[in-house]
Amino acid sequence: MTPARTDPWVPEPISIKRIARESADTATLVLDTSERPGGFAFKPGQFNMLYAFGIGEVPISISGDPSDTGELVHTIRVVGKVTEALTGMAPGSTLGLRGPFGTHWPLEEARGRDVLIVAGGLGLVPLRPAIYEILKNRSAYKRVNIVYGARTPQDILFSNEISEWRGRLDVSLRVTVDSAGSDWFGHVGVVTSLVKLARFDPEATVAMVCGPEIMMRFAVRELETQGIADERIYLSTERNLQCGVGLCGHCQHGNVFVCKDGPVFRYDRLAPFFSKREV
Amino acid sequence: MSDPMVALWLSETPCAVGLGEKNFEKLASCGWIEHFQPGAFLAREGQKASTFFLIHGGSVALELHDAATGTAMTETLGVGDAVGVSWLVPPHRYHVDVRALEPTDVLVFDGDRLKELMEADADFGFAITRRLLARVYSRLEELRVQRLDLYQPAEGRRP
């Protein structure tokens, strides 16, 4: 059995168990962590650095179930050479892994409260582990609302699970797309328009938001309009994450390091510089 | 005197909030109820726009049809949403098709009658215009975001 690495700078070789295609440019890699002592423990919202040997390393959110420590799941969109290499690997191939890094979604704080999850595009990826946890401990939370926006019906991620969650009587899940043909029977419009339709108690709701930064700005504005205090709004942000341990400074956003102090932040911490173009 | 069912449905819409009794009654007097089956059109592009709608139940799609690319659904609207401002703005023609996506109940308002009442009573006219403007502004904000094509990788987005 290979001992788990403890040096955060050293990538650990890990093999790909299987790969599933999610959409035209997005794939899910399931990594085999069953031989690792204790498997691979992480908290919802955390990310890993994945290394395609000889090509480069990228930060990727963990998208799997935290209670399944024998597998580590990453959903990756092709945006450059490294992600292209990672998604092009075959089952049995080896990649380098460092992590887990960063802060996590406030699932403890959300206990006993309504939960509102707002995801846009690939933003559903780091929120999926939180959804698994919430649904696994469903009675610990009050109303659970999930709103998700995608570009088109073909870009909807995890569509089988979304259908499953939608079928539950104890979850309200709404999906919207930015544009669709007339064969689509769902909602068309921005994801923030779904926030207005969700039923929750703004005084006792914890909101978790992830998506493109502009989408998050509009989402925060809508959440504030609905009466949710900044202290109960959490965002997962994205910057140029490189070292993962707050040393290199590439991910600095205002006075925080996204890799170490984030990626999940309480909104009031980011608010002073969240929409400043200079930061 | 307005239809009691129209008044009841209208009272349940965001449009009625803070309208005041006199203005509420005026608005209600211009409305009637209609039901649309899935696939039925509430309005067609190019048609004279003499009415607007408040959705009481169900949902509708705003669609643009292009012979080359087919029909694009640009937005869907649901309970409480107002549909149509073309009755107020020249050339008073609908700019999109409005199609029911499911069994849909709407309040339909006679735009010509409403315009007369709005012109005769500035307070009523302002109250209605302000409500429509708020809705139009909110949709404009949403469309700005939608136009950015945010879910594309940054380099693939529209400028």
Side-chain angles (χ1 to χ4, degrees):
Chain A
M1 195 174 271
T2 317
R5 305 290 171 106
T6 50
D7 186 339
W9 296 98
V10 180
E12 171 187 345
I14 202 121
S15 72
I16 299 173
K17 201 166 163 185
R18 59 181 185 277
I19 299 178
R21 189 88 17 217
E22 300 289 348
S23 69
D25 61 358
T26 306
T28 292
L29 271 61
V30 179
L31 309 178
D32 185 1
T33 51
S34 58
E35 294 296 306
R36 222 169 171 262
F40 190 93
F42 70 96
K43 292 193 169 163
Q46 289 191 299
F47 69 97
N48 285 322
M49 299 299 297
L50 300 187
Y51 182 29
F53 293 112
I55 300 173
E57 192 183 46
V58 283
I60 304 287
S61 297
I62 304 170
S63 66
D65 185 344
S67 65
D68 185 357
T69 54
E71 287 186 346
L72 174 62
V73 182
H74 282 286
T75 302
I76 305 171
R77 174 195 265 173
V78 177
V79 291
K81 286 197 163 106
V82 182
T83 47
E84 189 178 10
L86 289 170
T87 55
M89 285 178 165
S93 311
T94 301
L95 51 78
L97 168 76
R98 293 195 293 128
F101 296 118
T103 53
H104 54 86
W105 296 110
L107 296 179
E108 284 303 317
E109 187 197 331
R111 280 176 177 259
R113 294 180 165 161
D114 290 349
V115 176
L116 174 57
I117 289 175
V118 184
L122 219 59
L124 184 59
V125 168
L127 281 164
R128 188 166 75 153
I131 296 171
Y132 286 136
E133 279 288 287
I134 289 166
L135 297 185
K136 201 159 285 168
N137 302 290
R138 182 62 191 86
S139 60
Y141 304 90
K142 290 190 174 164
R143 279 174 290 200
V144 174
N145 280 281
I146 303 169
V147 298
Y148 171 48
R151 189 169 181 248
T152 69
Q154 293 72 38
D155 294 307
I156 292 172
L157 292 175
F158 315 129
S159 50
N160 289 340
E161 272 175 333
I162 283 183
S163 299
E164 189 188 310
W165 297 337
R166 210 175 193 166
R168 290 179 64 132
L169 298 175
D170 56 358
V171 175
S172 166
L173 187 147
R174 290 183 169 91
V175 176
T176 186
V177 295
D178 276 353
S179 62
S182 54
D183 54 347
W184 167 251
F185 292 93
H187 195 277
V188 178
V190 290
V191 69
T192 47
S193 65
L194 296 182
V195 171
K196 295 180 188 120
L197 303 177
R199 296 182 67 189
F200 53 85
D201 173 7
E203 300 289 322
T205 295
V206 171
M208 305 177 205
V209 185
C210 188
E213 207 158 296
I214 298 178
M215 180 225 104
M216 291 202 287
R217 294 212 302 266
F218 277 82
V220 166
R221 207 181 299 169
E222 185 57 43
L223 295 170
E224 288 175 331
T225 304
Q226 299 295 327
I228 301 181
D230 289 355
E231 304 82 60
R232 279 180 284 104
I233 299 173
Y234 288 81
L235 313 177
S236 180
T237 58
E238 198 178 29
R239 281 291 183 275
N240 179 10
L241 306 175
Q242 293 205 7
C243 71
V245 291
L247 285 176
C248 75
H250 284 91
C251 66
Q252 195 171 348
H253 187 194
N255 59 355
V256 300
F257 292 96
V258 173
C259 72
K260 180 173 66 78
D261 305 318
V264 177
F265 289 96
R266 209 171 81 170
Y267 176 63
D268 57 348
R269 192 158 180 212
L270 288 181
F273 46 84
F274 190 51
S275 51
K276 285 216 167 35
R277 65 169 64 187
E278 294 82 5
V279 180
Chain B
M1 186 69 187
S2 61
D3 177 332
M5 191 57 87
V6 169
L8 177 65
W9 283 18
L10 180 59
S11 69
E12 293 168 358
T13 67
C15 189
V17 176
L19 195 56
E21 199 178 330
K22 199 178 88 188
N23 288 340
F24 178 90
E25 180 55 36
K26 274 189 183 175
L27 179 59
S29 73
C30 299
W32 65 93
I33 288 171
E34 285 192 25
H35 310 279
F36 292 87
Q37 291 304 310
F41 287 92
L42 285 71
R44 300 302 297 256
E45 184 185 345
Q47 210 177 43
K48 184 177 182 300
S50 54
T51 53
F52 87 98
F53 311 93
L54 287 177
I55 302 175
H56 177 74
S59 60
V60 302
L62 309 191
E63 296 179 334
L64 281 167
H65 184 75
D66 176 64
T69 56
T71 302
M73 204 186 281
T74 60
E75 194 178 3
T76 53
L77 298 171
V79 176
D81 281 325
V83 185
V85 285
S86 305
W87 62 279
L88 193 58
V89 185
H92 307 298
R93 295 204 177 275
Y94 294 113
H95 288 83
V96 290
D97 290 333
V98 183
R99 186 172 60 88
L101 291 170
E102 55 190 311
T104 299
D105 300 325
V106 295
L107 285 172
V108 188
F109 292 90
D110 177 343
D112 294 334
R113 172 79 186 124
L114 205 48
K115 263 184 287 185
E116 281 173 20
L117 293 174
M118 289 165 71
E119 279 163 11
D121 179 349
D123 176 57
F124 177 63
F126 181 62
I128 298 299
T129 308
R130 197 168 61 171
R131 279 164 175 74
L132 285 175
L133 183 63
R135 186 65 195 121
V136 168
Y137 183 69
S138 145
R139 300 245 291 271
L140 173 66
E141 280 216 317
E142 290 171 6
L143 286 168
R144 278 185 188 136
V145 178
Q146 215 171 335
R147 188 193 164 277
L148 290 173
D149 207 6
L150 290 175
Y151 305 134
Q152 278 279 74
E155 66 271 22
R157 281 186 212 159
R158 294 177 198 128

